[in-house]
Amino acid sequence: MIDQASAEPTVLLVDDNAQNLKVLYETLKDRGYRLLIANDGEKALTLAKRHLPEVILLDIMMPDMDGWQVCEHLKADPATADSAVVFLSALDDMDAKLRAFSLGGADYIAKPFQAQEVIARVSTHARVIRLERDLQQRNRQLEGDQTRILNAINEGIYGLDERGNIMFANPAAAMISGCGIEDLIGRNFFRLHFRAGQGDVLHDFNEDLLEAAAGLPVQATCHQGVAEHQRGVTFYRMDGSSFPAEYRATPKRDGEVLSGAVVVFRDITVELENEQALDDARGMVQDQREQLAHASRLATTGEMAAGFAHEVNQPLTAITNYARVALRLLTAEQPDHALVVQTLEKIEAQSHRASEVIRRIRSFVRKPASGKDVLSVAALLEETRQFAEVDARNNDGGVEVQVADDIPDVLADPIQVQQVALNLIRNALESTRSAGSREPVLVNVRVADPGFVRIEVSDHGVGLPEDSEQRLFLPFFSTKEEGMGIGLTLCRSLIQAQGGEIGFERPESGGALFYFTLPVAQTLAEAGEA
């Protein structure tokens, strides 16, 4: 076939009179056309089908097959139907012209004709037909591209009319629905994919569409023009089985008139299973994190056991001594009741002191239920400092906590945050002692980036190795000779679970500074309201 985009327009001249053909040929030659000649109807049809001319100049009065019959055959054949047929005839009456146009003729020129008239009309029709063919070619290309795109999409696509009948379906829609495309076309979307009542098939949509489909997915799009997007909706297949789906429905309009909807949907069975598996994995990780944190607390408590025993032993010894004094006072001939009362009050005070030490130990060691509370940073760090007193004495050091008055409360797990803070303080005490310093470890609290509080723990040790940036928080890496390398890894995991960050810096004054951040409770509350 000739490339219509690059070849010259083709004009077919049809007349049984050789002189007329010669005049037409001389009129149109050298004007940029490829000219073909036929002296009867049969030859004209053969040339037209082979060369697909843009314009056919057709005489009416011809033997065997006249121009009317030739035009009918041309218009009946899809290959030549778009050619512009221009009748040339000595018949100049209105009836002949009306018949020419009724048969599909594009123009009518009466004989004898003027050369300039023929040139102008042929030029116009050739240009129009060439543009129409170019447009049709582009439309075919676009339709082909559209078909390829729709066929390649994994999501099902329906084109619905205003009553929900399926007018178009792509291969993915057929595969998801468990049938062929031909089985989907003409079927009602609502009746196919949904059930009413206790799983019954919906009633005949041809009669009661609005009542039956009320409240169903896509119904508002088809009848009210409301775009929809839902996830986790139950769709049914052709065989009656169901699947969870996500869909988007967009109204389809012809101008201002609502004419249906375009529905894009997909089966999310595997996706939901993966999400559930991911949730289960997250829960398992959280359980493992809590178990590891609990084991770490037990190990820390074991390391601090001697100090805790000393702390508990002091009030218990005092209670024993005060009890002996009280007994002696009560067995005296004239008991001093006021002194007995004072002694008993001291016994009570020491018992509270011992109870408080044990309470702190139990709260630190216990495995808490997961959950975040609104916390006072100052109160939490003060309790942590008391835990660290044993390590401070063992390392001949001290701990100073500095918290500004305007520090807001945070939202976090108190036990896990306290575990992180205690771990950093103990590390700082050991590092300070190893450097031969008796300067106290400084715990400073300040507001960091908007919405976060930053807790910093500074020591007076020898600092961190230059190559520790990339490895310090990795499992089993430690700067201690006897360290297992899981303390900072666990700290990072616990702080990330709170929504914060953890890191370190090298102060110019020496030593090391570790920090972690916690989200401000008020900020989270405001975000939830928004």
Side-chain angles (χ1 to χ4, degrees):
M1 182 178 293
I2 297 172
D3 183 357
Q4 298 293 333
S6 60
E8 296 174 334
T10 299
V11 179
L12 174 61
L13 311 177
V14 185
D15 200 313
D16 63 329
N17 187 300
Q19 184 62 31
N20 290 342
L21 286 175
K22 181 178 179 181
V23 172
L24 285 173
Y25 187 87
E26 293 295 330
T27 300
L28 295 174
K29 76 174 183 177
D30 300 328
R31 295 190 175 275
Y33 303 117
R34 187 167 69 106
L35 299 176
L36 304 175
I37 295 175
N39 56 10
D40 61 56
E42 290 291 344
K43 187 175 181 181
L45 293 176
T46 300
L47 291 175
K49 190 163 187 177
R50 182 184 303 167
H51 298 284
L52 305 179
E54 278 79 6
V55 181
I56 300 174
L57 294 178
L58 179 62
D59 183 34
I60 295 177
M61 306 304 295
M62 294 187 298
D64 298 328
M65 182 183 295
D66 60 25
W68 308 125
Q69 295 171 307
V70 173
C71 185
E72 288 178 337
H73 281 87
L74 289 170
K75 296 303 175 181
D77 189 340
T80 57
D82 66 339
S83 296
V85 176
V86 179
F87 284 98
L88 284 172
S89 178
L91 300 175
D92 195 21
D93 60 281
M94 184 59 65
D95 289 341
K97 293 180 179 179
L98 290 176
R99 184 179 180 186
F101 289 119
S102 68
L103 291 174
D107 209 342
Y108 194 101
I109 300 176
K111 296 179 180 179
F113 55 80
Q114 298 294 322
Q116 294 302 318
E117 179 183 11
V118 172
I119 292 170
R121 296 198 182 188
V122 169
S123 175
T124 298
H125 289 300
R127 185 168 59 253
V128 169
I129 296 301
R130 177 60 64 90
L131 291 174
E132 288 181 351
R133 289 182 176 179
D134 288 345
L135 181 60
Q136 291 173 1
Q137 178 64 23
R138 293 187 182 184
N139 285 339
R140 285 193 292 270
Q141 291 176 349
L142 290 174
E143 289 174 358
D145 292 341
Q146 183 183 44
T147 300
R148 284 190 292 272
I149 291 172
L150 293 176
N151 289 346
I153 291 176
N154 293 327
E155 295 162 318
I157 301 177
Y158 286 139
L160 309 180
D161 66 13
E162 67 277 6
R163 297 182 65 80
N165 296 315
I166 300 173
M167 310 303 294
F168 168 82
N170 71 335
M175 182 182 68
I176 296 172
S177 301
C179 59
I181 293 179
E182 64 279 0
D183 296 322
L184 290 174
I185 302 301
R187 191 176 292 272
N188 188 273
F189 169 80
F190 301 106
R191 189 173 186 181
L192 170 63
H193 285 302
F194 301 105
R195 299 290 183 267
Q198 302 299 320
D200 298 330
V201 176
L202 290 170
H203 297 297
D204 187 356
F205 277 85
N206 293 325
E207 298 178 1
D208 303 311
L209 174 66
L210 292 177
E211 181 179 354
L216 288 178
V218 187
Q219 187 270 346
T221 306
C222 280
H223 304 301
Q224 302 170 26
V226 179
E228 299 179 39
H229 175 212
Q230 290 193 51
R231 190 171 187 271
V233 178
T234 299
F235 273 44
Y236 285 84
R237 298 186 182 89
M238 186 77 75
D239 61 4
S241 62
S242 63
F243 62 93
E246 178 180 14
Y247 78 88
R248 292 180 183 273
T250 305
K252 184 174 60 176
R253 300 180 184 277
D254 292 333
E256 297 297 322
V257 179
L258 181 64
S259 59
V262 175
V263 181
V264 180
F265 69 102
R266 61 194 183 96
D267 184 344
I268 59 172
T269 300
V270 175
E271 188 174 311
L272 292 179
E273 291 174 352
N274 291 339
E275 289 177 0
Q276 183 59 50
L278 181 59
D279 288 341
D280 293 342
R282 285 172 178 165
M284 185 180 298
V285 169
Q286 179 63 25
D287 290 342
Q288 291 176 347
R289 178 190 291 127
E290 292 177 1
Q291 292 173 9
L292 181 58
H294 182 58
S296 178
R297 288 197 296 274
L298 290 175
T300 300
T301 304
E303 295 172 4
M304 300 165 65
F308 283 135
H310 178 72
E311 277 201 45
V312 175
N313 188 59
Q314 284 184 333
L316 290 179
T317 301
I319 289 171
T320 301
N321 292 335
Y322 286 133
R324 289 173 180 170
V325 172
L327 286 173
R328 286 199 303 269
L329 291 173
L330 289 173
T331 56
E333 293 183 0
Q334 294 181 347
D336 187 339
H337 294 288
L339 188 56
V340 171
V341 170
Q342 293 178 5
T343 303
L344 293 176
E345 289 175 347
K346 291 179 180 180
I347 291 175
E348 182 184 20
Q350 291 298 324
S351 67
H352 281 308
R353 179 184 171 189
S355 175
E356 182 63 19
V357 172
I358 295 172
R359 184 197 65 79
R360 292 206 310 268
I361 296 172
R362 292 182 62 188
S363 67
F364 182 72
V365 172
R366 78 177 190 272
K367 183 178 180 181
S370 298
K372 299 178 181 179
D373 297 321
V374 176
L375 308 176
S376 166
V377 178
L380 188 70
L381 291 180
E382 174 56 29
E383 187 172 285
T384 306
R385 186 194 64 77
Q386 294 175 16
F387 276 124
E389 285 180 351
V390 174
D391 283 280
R393 284 196 297 269
N394 292 338
N395 289 282
D396 297 325
V399 180
E400 291 185 5
V401 178
Q402 297 178 354
V403 183
D405 294 335
D406 60 347
I407 295 298
D409 291 344
V410 298
L411 186 67
D413 185 314
I415 299 299
Q416 293 184 357
V417 173
Q418 193 173 72
Q419 183 171 353
V420 172
L422 182 60
N423 189 76
L424 296 181
I425 290 173
R426 295 180 72 232
N427 287 346
L429 287 168
E430 292 176 8
S431 179
T432 299
R433 184 198 64 182
S434 64
S437 174
R438 293 193 176 184
E439 292 291 329
V441 169
L442 178 61
V443 181
N444 184 54
V445 183
R446 61 185 177 87
V447 176
D449 296 333
F452 285 88
V453 168
R454 172 165 159 147
I455 295 94
E456 301 173 344
V457 179
S458 304
D459 64 42
H460 299 277
V462 296
L464 296 169
E466 291 297 330
D467 61 348
S468 60
E469 276 83 353
Q470 303 300 325
R471 299 186 294 161
L472 193 59
F473 290 96
L474 294 178
F476 310 118
F477 173 77
S478 177
T479 58
K480 303 177 185 179
E481 292 183 1
E482 299 179 356
M484 294 181 61
I486 63 172
L488 290 178
T489 301
L490 179 60
C491 287
R492 181 176 65 175
S493 177
L494 295 178
I495 291 302
Q496 288 177 344
Q498 315 306 314
E501 296 179 350
I502 188 169
F504 70 92
E505 297 174 358
R506 293 187 176 89
E508 294 181 0
S509 58
L513 182 152
F514 282 83
Y515 67 88
F516 61 91
T517 62
L518 297 172
V520 174
Q522 183 180 2
T523 301
L524 292 180
E526 291 174 349
E529 293 175 1

